Amino acid sequence: AAAYLLGLQFAIKRAKRVGLDQNRVMDLGIWIIISALVGAKLLLLIVEWDTFTRDWRELMTLARSGGVFYGGLIAAVSVALWYLRRHRMPMWTVTDVFAPGIALGHVIGRLGCLFAGCCFGTRTDVPWAITFKSEYAAQNVGTPLNVPLHPAQLYEAGAELLILIFLLATERKGRPFPGRTFWGYMFLYGVSRFIIEFYRGDPRGIVGPFSTSQFVSLLIVPLSLVMLYMLSRR
């Protein structure tokens, strides 16, 4: 909740600076929140289909789970594009306004993952390893207890924070064009997520030799480069 609300508030503040209707941006943000929640949980249902079909009572975990970030991102972007076309808002300007808010919300969201014990890392002996001890984490998301693990949640939170800082520091540099901030975010997140997935130890969906998120990253990264090139030429 904190991630969604703070990210939306940040987007509304940025919208005012570029002359967008803040009420429209608020409405769009609400649509994004709803679609992101549905999309994230839907992708979790798909990648963990065997778990849910083995015991339908496990569907209750969807109510307390944040879901898969990529599912929420894809659903939110799809709904946002529909909303922008319907209300004839400048598509890439609006997505540029929202991109840093997505990064900010994701930083907070991954801290929530750390506190809950989900999205945990693989076993390791690095000095900064973390060890979970709460039985509730093990019962809720299967977190290994009393075992040093990579703090994969902090890796991703840190990566998102760096992306956020980079986006804000560079969005007015060089020759900015509508869509650069958004697709720059998609590119940087896709690369960072692909790498961080190697340090994740929780069970996740697999597509060939890759996790579901790595597979989506393989699609998003080249798409981002293509869109950046096309929009810069336009």
Side-chain angles (χ1 to χ4, degrees):
Y4 280 116
L5 294 176
L6 191 57
L8 176 56
Q9 184 63 31
F10 189 36
I12 292 173
K13 293 291 185 182
R14 286 171 53 80
K16 182 179 181 180
R17 192 187 71 191
V18 298
L20 293 173
D21 186 331
Q22 289 182 289
N23 290 326
R24 286 288 189 204
V25 173
M26 170 69 83
D27 291 343
L28 172 59
I30 294 173
W31 277 102
I32 287 174
I33 290 173
I34 295 172
S35 58
L37 286 169
V38 173
K41 294 175 186 293
L42 180 60
L43 187 54
L44 176 64
L45 175 64
I46 293 172
V47 300
E48 296 291 342
W49 181 256
D50 290 341
T51 300
F52 291 120
T53 54
R54 191 181 310 118
D55 184 356
W56 288 104
R57 289 174 296 182
E58 288 293 326
L59 287 173
M60 292 300 297
T61 62
L62 285 174
R64 62 176 184 266
S65 171
V68 179
F69 175 78
Y70 261 136
L73 181 64
I74 293 171
V77 169
S78 301
V79 170
L81 293 177
W82 163 80
Y83 185 93
L84 295 174
R85 287 182 178 276
R86 179 181 179 185
H87 295 283
R88 298 183 179 180
M89 299 174 69
M91 179 185 302
W92 301 123
T93 300
V94 175
T95 55
D96 285 346
V97 163
F98 271 91
I102 297 173
L104 176 61
H106 204 172
V107 171
I108 300 169
R110 282 306 182 199
L111 294 179
C113 294
L114 176 69
F115 298 152
C118 65
C119 305
F120 51 84
T122 55
R123 296 191 180 197
T124 182
D125 56 0
V126 297
W128 56 87
I130 58 174
T131 303
F132 291 93
K133 298 181 181 296
S134 172
E135 62 183 35
Y136 298 110
Q139 293 171 4
N140 189 32
V141 291
T143 310
L145 303 183
N146 304 311
V147 176
L149 305 172
H150 274 290
Q153 309 95 327
L154 293 182
Y155 293 166
E156 192 159 351
E160 285 285 339
L161 181 59
L162 292 176
I163 292 173
L164 171 61
I165 294 172
F166 178 81
L167 293 178
L168 295 178
T170 61
E171 65 178 347
R172 296 186 180 182
K173 303 292 185 181
R175 296 174 58 191
F177 52 86
R180 190 179 77 170
T181 299
F182 174 74
W183 287 108
Y185 167 75
M186 296 291 280
F187 171 77
L188 292 172
Y189 178 70
V191 172
S192 64
R193 182 60 184 269
F194 184 88
I195 296 171
I196 292 170
E197 281 290 302
F198 288 112
Y199 298 95
R200 288 275 294 270
D202 55 321
R204 303 177 310 293
I206 299 296
V207 180
F210 303 109
S211 70
T212 302
S213 293
Q214 284 180 317
F215 178 75
V216 175
S217 293
L218 289 174
L219 300 178
I220 285 182
V221 168
L223 174 62
S224 301
L225 293 175
V226 171
M227 291 303 299
L228 286 168
Y229 174 77
M230 291 177 60
L231 292 175
S232 67
R233 297 282 292 179
R234 181 185 302 179

